[in-house]
Amino acid sequence: MDRFQAMATYLRVVDTGSFSAAARQLNIGQPAVSKIVAQLESRLKTSLLTRSTHGLTPTEAGQRFYERAQVALQEADEAELAARGAGKGLSGKLRISAATTFARLHVIPHLPCFLDEHPEMDIDIILDDRVIDLIAEGIDVSLRMGALSDSSAVARKLATSPRSVIATPEYLTRKGEPITPAELAEHEAILYNPQPNLWSFTREGAVTSTSVNGRVRVSAAEGQRAAVLSHMGL
């Protein structure tokens, strides 16, 4: 059994939640996927997956293996890329998609150094808060926040971004300060177009969600920030 192939197959099964979906993505038969996972479990002498009517979920050992295998495969890929590109700079055109505010803060300031290191590179940056069709737009790399909606996409988590409910002192003086999530329903919310009107809060592992309302909805984070600073809402 090829260890890297087995790890890659197992990762795909966990990501898709079923043997059949993993088989379709890997373009092999479902029995082959089941056999690879069974051989992997036999080699490790532990059960990696819990099977139920709702699909497949990793066991505690399976989750630990998933996390380590993901890192191992990424490092193997990076080792190959490093060997192939040793002594050579990158060349060609790179099309990047990112949300406008995120790119302004975290991408564009780093471009001068990147372009100096790779003088044969050209970069197109598509700034849009909408989730665009990566294939139709010819995007090479997309930087996004939130849940991964397309399970067929190859994604890597880069960081965690906390969220807060904020308002200006002027707004809070006029409307009062909400103390609990339930009180948000009594306030004006500046709504962000790609997201639902449902805000979720976590305390000690418990999640509380509440619906919010507002007369202003914007399609970019820059507009949301400007609206808040204009004392229009939360």
Side-chain angles (χ1 to χ4, degrees):
M1 177 179 60
D2 185 292
R3 295 177 67 182
F4 283 106
Q5 180 189 15
M7 285 191 291
T9 301
Y10 174 71
L11 293 183
R12 194 64 62 93
V13 170
V14 174
D15 289 339
T16 60
S18 73
F19 290 128
S20 58
R24 287 194 298 271
Q25 291 190 11
L26 294 170
N27 199 28
I28 60 177
Q30 180 178 336
V33 173
S34 301
K35 182 179 179 180
I36 290 172
V37 174
Q39 290 176 337
L40 188 58
E41 290 179 321
S42 177
R43 174 188 174 86
L44 298 174
K45 295 182 174 58
T46 187
S47 176
L48 298 175
L49 296 169
T50 299
R51 299 157 177 84
S52 69
T53 56
H54 300 292
L56 300 173
T57 56
T59 62
E60 183 178 350
Q63 183 61 34
R64 291 197 300 268
F65 182 78
Y66 175 90
E67 294 169 356
R68 295 294 181 89
Q70 194 173 43
V71 172
L73 290 175
Q74 289 174 354
E75 290 181 345
D77 290 341
E78 290 168 359
E80 288 188 3
L81 289 173
R84 292 172 182 171
K88 299 190 301 181
L90 300 176
S91 62
K93 178 176 289 187
L94 181 68
R95 285 175 61 82
I96 301 172
S97 169
T100 305
T101 303
F102 181 86
R104 177 174 62 81
L105 295 174
H106 301 293
V107 178
I108 294 175
H110 297 283
L111 289 183
C113 180
F114 180 81
L115 293 173
D116 285 344
E117 292 178 0
H118 306 285
E120 300 300 317
M121 283 288 296
D122 292 330
I123 297 180
D124 285 353
I125 305 179
I126 292 79
L127 303 180
D128 199 323
D129 283 20
R130 295 178 302 113
V131 178
I132 64 176
D133 187 323
L134 303 183
I135 296 177
E137 297 286 342
I139 302 300
D140 299 307
V141 178
S142 178
L143 300 169
R144 291 293 171 185
M145 291 169 282
L148 181 65
S149 58
D150 183 358
S151 61
S152 66
V154 178
R156 179 183 299 183
K157 181 178 179 180
L158 299 179
T160 298
S161 177
R163 293 179 177 177
S164 303
V165 178
I166 61 172
T168 60
E170 288 85 345
Y171 174 85
L172 297 177
T173 298
R174 190 171 74 250
K175 295 290 189 177
E177 181 177 349
I179 304 300
T180 66
E183 295 178 16
L184 294 175
E186 303 171 7
H187 284 262
E188 283 286 329
I190 308 301
L191 303 174
Y192 185 42
N193 198 41
Q195 298 174 347
N197 298 5
L198 193 68
W199 291 0
S200 298
F201 303 84
T202 304
R203 171 178 285 182
E204 298 177 353
V207 178
T208 300
S209 298
T210 185
S211 295
V212 294
N213 301 292
R215 295 185 296 162
V216 176
R217 179 182 291 272
V218 298
S219 61
E222 293 281 8
Q224 191 178 39
R225 176 179 181 272
V228 169
L229 292 177
S230 296
H231 324 303
M232 297 173 66
L234 305 172

